[in-house]
């Protein structure tokens, strides 16, 4: 391994003061044990040499040396010798991304088979699948712009809504990239990692061109553009697959201003590429997003140096082995055996609390703490074992939540919030309540999280979703009050023995799930129309049809209504 001598330094140089006793200790011991020094005052030097028995001038390894040398090496190791930088272990290593997909009418053109929009939708899903572990959100735009899915690590959230996207969902036709940029930037505004916004569309609105260029140049995020279309253009298809015609019966065609798109990309400083039939465009987006994250991280993070002092532990252990030599004053073996005996004593109370399935000490406890064992289980997806191992209450709750043990997770996060008032604990409380069907309680928990973390887009989106679910419950309850063919039930209040036909009421959440599963397009169309009619203030996040799988602070999403709908289960 090559060492950069110019960068060599000690992280904690104060520990080097221990070198002084390590050097002085052998000298003092030798002075105190020197027979000549003790008798020199009483016996003449010439006679003293003949009276001493044995080779007292021989220099051999003594116990004091096995104490001084490990002390010196330990001082060097504790001082932290280093010569290379490393990335922080808990830094964000995946670039957050928001994809802005155009849903204007010309995206139904067939010059990019099967259509520009269908190819673009496939690319959205390909990008999300290629970014395993990274958060990807989706915004759509035409004459207006709307959030579909906040940044999430779960591609299933996108897979639920992307197939249902169509140009007919938008309240107004157009190519307002400036509006899409505004929504995407608000989603990434509170993210600590450098993000990327990817536009996928076939043009721009000339009237808002200057506004878009100004916003793009001022953006702190990286902007990319995948252009959908060819210079020859193509005919536009209707939703049923037929060729669209105008009032005179002529086929409607969509052009593609390649020169104008290139000029806008140059003016705004946006890297430009085209949708391709292969996966090179996906690789291009992924590489640029990760490169931008790395560059921004290097520019803003404080240097973190690699600890290299641990290598000195090896010679220290070898020297300690030498201290077991027979006849030396220091007897290390009994000390080691007693230490191991005490370390192996079962801690029944601790084991019962941290891992109920393990009632005593285990060999792994000698090498890893309970929290370290929990992190290992958590990384392998064994969430139940992780929850049983964790002592840290926040991680224990996360493991319980991942294991779908929402009741225990709610209790754990409630305890954390009561003690620490953490915003992520309140967010998780809302998630657990949402999964348990308590939408009103979830709203209160998310509102608390927003007070502690103002501007949290995921919490705002989850509040909007919970309100939608509550409203759907009310509508479903009203609908089920109408009599229809079903069970026969006697109305005792009327007292006339007449019968009424009522419908057995299924849980309203199940009905809402089936509604989402059968018609996400209708859900999006209604929501887009409501947002276009009454746009929310710029300071608040737009309502979301789905919630993110992870937030900027690492908390997973709220109710998995959309995911459950996709699976067809409540």
């Amino acid at each position: 391994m090559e060492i950069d001598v110019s960068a060599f330094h000690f992280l904690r140089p104060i520990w080097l003061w221990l070198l002084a006793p390590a050097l002085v200790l052998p000298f003092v011991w030798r002075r105190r044990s020197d027979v000549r020094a003790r008798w020199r005052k009483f016996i003449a030097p010439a006679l003293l040499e003949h009276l001493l028995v044995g080779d007292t001038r021989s220099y051999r390894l003594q116990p004091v040396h096995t104490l001084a040398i490990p002390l010196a090496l330990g001082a060097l190791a504790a001082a932290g010798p280093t010569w290379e930088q490393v990335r922080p272990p808990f830094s964000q290593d995946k670039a957050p991304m928001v994809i802005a997909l155009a849903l204007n009418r010309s995206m139904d053109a067939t010059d990019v088979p099967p259509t520009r929009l269908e190819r673009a939708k496939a690319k959205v899903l390909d990008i999300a699948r290629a970014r395993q572990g990274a958060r990807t959100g989706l915004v759509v735009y035409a004459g207006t712009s709307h959030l579909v899915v906040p940044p999430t690590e779960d591609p299933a959230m996108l897979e639920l809504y992307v197939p249902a996207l169509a140009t007919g969902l938008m309240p107004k036709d157009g190519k307002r990239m400036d509006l899409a940029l505004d929504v995407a930037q608000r989603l990434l505004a509170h993210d600590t990692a450098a993000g990327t916004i990817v536009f996928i569309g076939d043009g721009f609105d000339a009237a808002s061109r200057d506004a878009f260029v100004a916003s793009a140049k001022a953006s702190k995020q990286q902007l990319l553009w995948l252009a959908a279309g060819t210079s020859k253009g193509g005919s536009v298809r209707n939703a049923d697959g037929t060729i669209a015609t105008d009032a005179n019966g002529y086929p409607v065609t969509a052009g593609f201003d390649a020169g104008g798109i290139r000029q806008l990309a140059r003016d705004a400083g946006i890297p430009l590429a085209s949708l391709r039939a292969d996966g090179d465009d996906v690789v291009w987006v992924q590489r640029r997003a990760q490169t931008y994250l790395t560059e921004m991280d290097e520019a803003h993070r404080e240097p973190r140096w690699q600890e290299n002092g641990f290598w000195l532990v090896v010679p220290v252990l070898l020297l300690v082995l030498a201290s077991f030599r027979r006849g030396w004053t220091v007897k290390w073996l009994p000390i080691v055996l007693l230490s191991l005996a005490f370390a192996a004593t079962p801690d029944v109370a601790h084991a019962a609390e941290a891992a109920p399935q393990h009632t005593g000490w285990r060999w792994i406890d000698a090498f890893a703490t309970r929290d370290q064992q929990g992190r290992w289980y958590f990384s392998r997806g064994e969430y139940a074992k992780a929850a049983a191992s964790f002592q840290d209450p926040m991680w224990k709750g996360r493991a319980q939540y991942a294991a779908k043990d929402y009741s225990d997770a709610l209790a754990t996060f409630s305890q954390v919030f009561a003690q620490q008032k953490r915003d992520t604990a309140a967010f998780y409380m809302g998630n657990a309540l949402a999964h348990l069907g308590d939408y009103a309680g979830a709203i209160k928990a998310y509102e608390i999280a927003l007070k502690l973390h103002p501007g949290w887009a995921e919490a705002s989106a989850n509040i909007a979703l919970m309100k939608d679910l509550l409203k759907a419950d009310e509508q479903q309850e009203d609908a089920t009050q109408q009599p229809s063919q079903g069970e026969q039930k006697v109305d005792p209040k009327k007292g006339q023995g007449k019968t009424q036909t009522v419908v057995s009421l299924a849980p309203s959440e199940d009905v809402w799930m089936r509604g989402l599963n059968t018609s996400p397009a209708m859900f999006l169309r209604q929501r887009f129309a409501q947002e276009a009619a009454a746009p929310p203030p710029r300071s608040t996040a737009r309502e979301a049809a789905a919630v993110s799988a992870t937030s900027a602070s690492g908390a997973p999403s709220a109710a998995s209504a959309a995911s459950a709908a996709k699976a067809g289960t409540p």
Side-chain angles (χ1 to χ4, degrees), residues 189-444:
H190 299 281
D191 207 307
T192 56
T196 297
I197 301 174
V198 182
F199 291 93
I200 304 181
D202 59 355
F204 58 92
D205 181 66
S208 60
R209 182 185 190 280
D210 294 339
F212 173 76
V213 171
S215 297
K217 289 183 176 180
S219 177
K220 298 180 181 180
Q221 316 298 337
Q222 176 184 227
L223 306 185
L224 303 175
W225 192 351
L226 286 177
T230 61
S231 56
K232 65 180 181 180
S235 57
V236 176
R237 290 188 180 275
N238 293 318
D240 58 0
T242 60
I243 301 297
T245 57
D246 57 17
N248 298 321
Y250 295 106
V252 177
T253 59
F256 183 77
D257 186 7
I261 291 175
R262 282 193 293 267
Q263 185 60 46
L264 175 61
R266 283 194 296 267
D267 294 344
I270 303 177
L272 177 66
S274 299
L275 289 182
R276 297 173 56 91
D278 54 22
D280 289 349
D281 46 3
V282 176
V283 175
W284 179 79
V285 169
Q286 177 71 353
R287 183 184 300 115
R288 282 193 170 263
Q290 198 61 35
T291 300
Y292 180 72
L293 173 67
T294 303
E295 292 175 352
M296 297 301 294
D297 185 59
E298 292 291 336
H300 293 92
R301 71 179 177 89
E302 296 182 0
R304 183 181 180 88
W305 294 90
Q306 169 70 48
E307 285 271 5
N308 291 295
F310 62 89
W311 292 108
L312 296 174
V313 174
V314 176
V316 170
L317 292 176
L318 294 176
L319 289 171
V320 170
L321 289 176
S323 66
F324 286 86
R325 291 184 59 185
R326 182 179 180 181
W328 280 14
T329 304
V330 180
K331 302 296 184 181
W332 294 97
L333 184 59
I335 298 175
V336 173
L337 293 178
L338 287 175
S339 300
L340 291 176
F342 281 111
T345 302
D347 187 355
V348 178
H350 168 78
E353 177 182 359
Q357 71 273 29
H358 301 293
T359 58
W361 184 86
R362 299 176 302 157
W363 68 269
I364 191 63
D365 294 336
F367 302 95
T369 66
R370 293 288 183 177
D371 287 335
Q372 290 172 337
Q373 297 173 42
R375 289 295 298 270
W376 188 79
Y377 285 127
F378 195 94
S379 65
R380 293 170 58 88
E382 300 179 23
Y383 302 119
K385 292 183 178 179
S389 298
F390 274 123
Q391 288 182 304
D392 183 280
M394 195 66 193
W395 273 104
K396 187 179 188 70
R398 289 190 64 180
Q400 291 170 336
Y401 181 87
K404 299 183 179 181
D405 188 359
Y406 302 120
S407 297
D408 288 346
L410 177 60
T412 302
F413 289 127
S414 299
Q415 181 181 5
V416 174
F417 181 79
Q419 297 175 352
Q420 305 177 18
K421 303 298 182 184
R422 295 180 60 176
D423 54 346
T424 50
F427 190 91
Y428 272 109
M429 289 167 57
N431 292 354
L433 287 168
H435 279 289
L436 294 172
D438 186 358
Y439 302 139
I443 291 175
K444 294 179 181 179

Side-chain angles (χ1 to χ4, degrees), residues 5-77:
V5 180
S6 62
F8 181 86
H9 65 284
F10 291 97
L11 298 177
R12 296 169 295 275
I14 192 172
W15 285 95
L16 295 177
W17 283 105
L18 287 177
L19 291 175
L23 295 175
V24 173
L25 188 61
F27 177 76
V28 173
W29 175 84
R30 184 166 183 80
R31 291 282 297 176
R32 289 177 58 86
S33 60
D34 190 356
V35 178
R36 290 179 177 80
R38 283 185 291 177
W39 291 99
R40 190 173 293 122
K41 297 179 181 180
F42 307 101
I43 304 175
L47 181 61
L48 180 60
E49 292 295 331
H50 299 282
L51 295 177
L52 295 177
V53 179
D55 187 8
T56 58
R57 291 186 178 275
S58 61
Y59 294 95
R60 296 179 301 170
L61 187 65
Q62 300 292 335
V64 68
H65 299 125
T66 60
L67 177 62
I69 296 176
L71 181 62
L73 293 176
L76 293 174

Side-chain angles (χ1 to χ4, degrees), residues 454-474:
W456 197 346
E458 286 79 3
S460 299
N462 291 352
I463 291 175
L465 177 58
M466 295 302 102
K467 291 181 179 179
D468 285 343
L469 292 176
L470 284 173
K471 187 182 299 183
D473 285 350
E474 296 174 358

